[in-house]
Amino acid sequence: MAFPLPPGSTIGILGGGQLGRMLALAAARLGLDVVVLTPDEGSPASRVVKRTLVAAYDDQPALAALAEACDVVTYEFENVPAATVQVLNALGVETAPGKLALAVAQDRVAEKTFLNEAGAPTVAFAPVDGAADIDAALPRIGLPALLKTRREGYDGKGQAWIRDAAGARAAFEAVGGAPSILEARADFKRELSIIAARGRDGQTAFYPLSENVHEGGVLRTTFAPAAVEPALQSEAERIAGEVLTRLDYVGVMGIELFDLGTGVLLVNEIAPRVHNTGHWTQDGCEVDQFEQHIRAVAGWPLGDTTPAVSVEMTNLLGEEILGWADLARDPEARLHVYGKGEPRPGRKMGHVNRVKRL
Ligand code: AMP
């Protein structure tokens, strides 16, 4: 495939959630069509794309149809099976980001090992296959420590704090006895993230750091640009640049960081996709994270990441979406609604960007 893909080309997206939807809207603005593959009927993305293939990610005929229809394929979540990417590549269609980024992001031990090798600091950690591994690692990791499954998909059973040495067995049971990682507690002052991008020519672009506030494990609000010293922004860009280059990455990545308040940033995790903490860029920057990702994947030059305004992004969870009419009346609120059906508790239904002139 010859890059840059001209308008009229087709991008495949694995996954049909709100991230896929906002990617598709950005693609449409550049004259690029989108075909989505998702197991879910009536997904948010399917309402705005040219075509949707409703099938499992390992459905061979669906993957063949996707490969046939698309010039390149990307994804909106990191737990796409590695075999799916292999099948698509064997069918002659390129995926971006590539296999290496997926493999690293899917396994917390591989991720932290890679990050440390790349000069990106993380908390101390140890792989865990049984409670005895926790006992062996605790003297080095210290207490309290956090046990997390190496891989996602555990329906809230994924993490357990260990407060004393006697708690190892209970914690391992709490994560379902799955292969895990034991992490030292990060004594952070605040949580930050950086949205970074790398193009097909190796060009990189970085958005300003954002500060993120979580509630009950779910992102509630993002403030951007975060109030940080220029040196901290430079350190975040150094880390992001190393990560993107070593993965030979193409696309947008979200990197979650712990700010220790001492000038040190620890990487919590990397997301090889557009990221909830980058939604502020839609109303804050010349080119937002969604267009940036599409530009990178399609081999276009990366766009300007300079913020024109400051933005407070708030997720609309569950029934909060029912307040849309009031939000629509507020001149400072830019409303983004995902087109999901049932406003179940905690479900991300939309977000609102409140914009202030810098
Ligand atoms: P994660 O699932 O790794 O993104 O973690 C979810 C949240 O748990 C993070 O945003 C932090 O607030 C918290 N957290 C994760 N890992 C640690 C850690 N090692 N120390 C302290 N807090 C953590």
Side-chain angles (χ1 to χ4, degrees), residues 108 112 123-124 146 148 152 159 161 183-188 191 214 217 256 258 268-269:
R108 291 184 194 273
K112 285 197 165 58
V123 292
L146 184 55
K148 300 178 181 175
E152 296 289 355
Q159 303 196 1
W161 280 101
E183 293 187 8
R185 183 180 64 175
D187 189 15
F188 58 82
E191 293 191 72
H214 297 88
E256 296 178 17
F258 296 135
N268 177 34
E269 61 182 8

Side-chain angles (χ1 to χ4, degrees), residues 3 34 48 53 56 69 77 86 94 99 113 123 133 154 159 164 213 238 249 253 282 299 311 339 341 347:
F3 293 100
V34 166
V48 303
L53 298 159
F77 74 121
Q86 263 158 23
E94 199 188 308
K99 283 193 291 257
T113 304
V123 292
D133 293 334
Y154 245 78
Q159 303 196 1
D164 52 54
V213 178
R238 180 193 70 76
Y249 196 83
M253 172 182 281
Q282 289 175 307
V311 181
R347 191 176 193 198

Side-chain angles (χ1 to χ4, degrees), residues 39-314:
D40 303 319
E41 288 281 356
S43 66
S46 69
R47 295 159 190 274
V48 303
V49 298
K50 180 177 168 192
R51 183 175 166 206
T52 304
L53 298 159
V54 179
Y57 293 116
D58 60 359
D59 183 307
Q60 300 289 326
L63 290 174
L66 188 70
E68 171 73 25
C70 298
D71 298 298
V72 65
V73 172
T74 187
Y75 27 79
E76 58 125 42
F77 74 121
E78 57 271 44
N79 290 318
V80 172
T84 298
V85 174
Q86 263 158 23
V87 170
L88 288 169
N89 294 165
L91 289 164
V93 67
E94 199 188 308
T95 50
K99 283 193 291 257
L100 181 57
L102 267 190
V104 163
Q106 285 179 354
D107 179 332
R108 291 184 194 273
V109 171
E111 183 178 38
K112 285 197 165 58
T113 304
F114 162 79
L115 286 166
N116 289 173
E117 282 168 11
T122 65
V123 292
F125 66 96
V128 167
D129 290 314
D133 293 334
I134 303 177
D135 296 336
L138 273 181
R140 180 171 63 86
I141 303 290
L143 287 166
L146 184 55
L147 189 68
K148 300 178 181 175
T149 53
R150 284 175 73 146
R151 292 174 174 272
E152 296 289 355
Y154 245 78
D155 287 347
K157 283 189 211 155
Q159 303 196 1
W161 280 101
I162 300 175
R163 312 222 168 257
D164 52 54
R169 198 155 306 275
F172 193 61
E173 275 168 25
V175 301
S180 298
I181 183 172
L182 187 67
E183 293 187 8
R185 183 180 64 175
D187 189 15
F188 58 82
K189 297 285 175 288
R190 55 184 174 169
E191 293 191 72
L192 303 174
S193 61
I194 187 163
I195 306 297
R198 186 166 177 272
R200 286 191 181 273
D201 58 357
Q203 180 198 4
T204 52
F206 308 101
Y207 290 91
L209 282 161
S210 68
E211 180 170 347
N212 310 309
V213 178
H214 297 88
E215 269 174 29
V218 178
L219 180 68
R220 164 59 29 186
T221 310
T222 295
F223 301 92
V228 296
E229 295 294 326
L232 211 63
Q233 177 73 29
S234 302
E235 170 62 357
E237 292 186 10
R238 180 193 70 76
I239 290 171
E242 281 293 334
V243 169
L244 293 176
T245 307
R246 285 177 188 239
L247 293 174
D248 194 18
Y249 196 83
V250 173
V252 162
M253 172 182 281
I255 304 181
E256 296 178 17
L257 300 160
F258 296 135
D259 176 9
L260 301 190
T262 56
V264 173
L265 292 174
L266 301 182
V267 179
N268 177 34
E269 61 182 8
I270 61 175
R273 55 171 168 76
V274 286
H275 198 250
N276 196 167
T277 66
H279 291 1
W280 71 274
T281 61
Q282 289 175 307
D283 297 299
C285 299
E286 214 66 58
V287 169
D288 69 36
Q289 65 164 349
F290 300 100
E291 178 174 337
Q292 194 77 292
H293 185 74
I294 296 295
R295 279 172 172 253
V297 166
W300 291 32
L302 298 182
D304 188 5
T305 55
T306 313
V309 292
S310 75
V311 181
E312 182 183 318
M313 189 289 306
T314 306

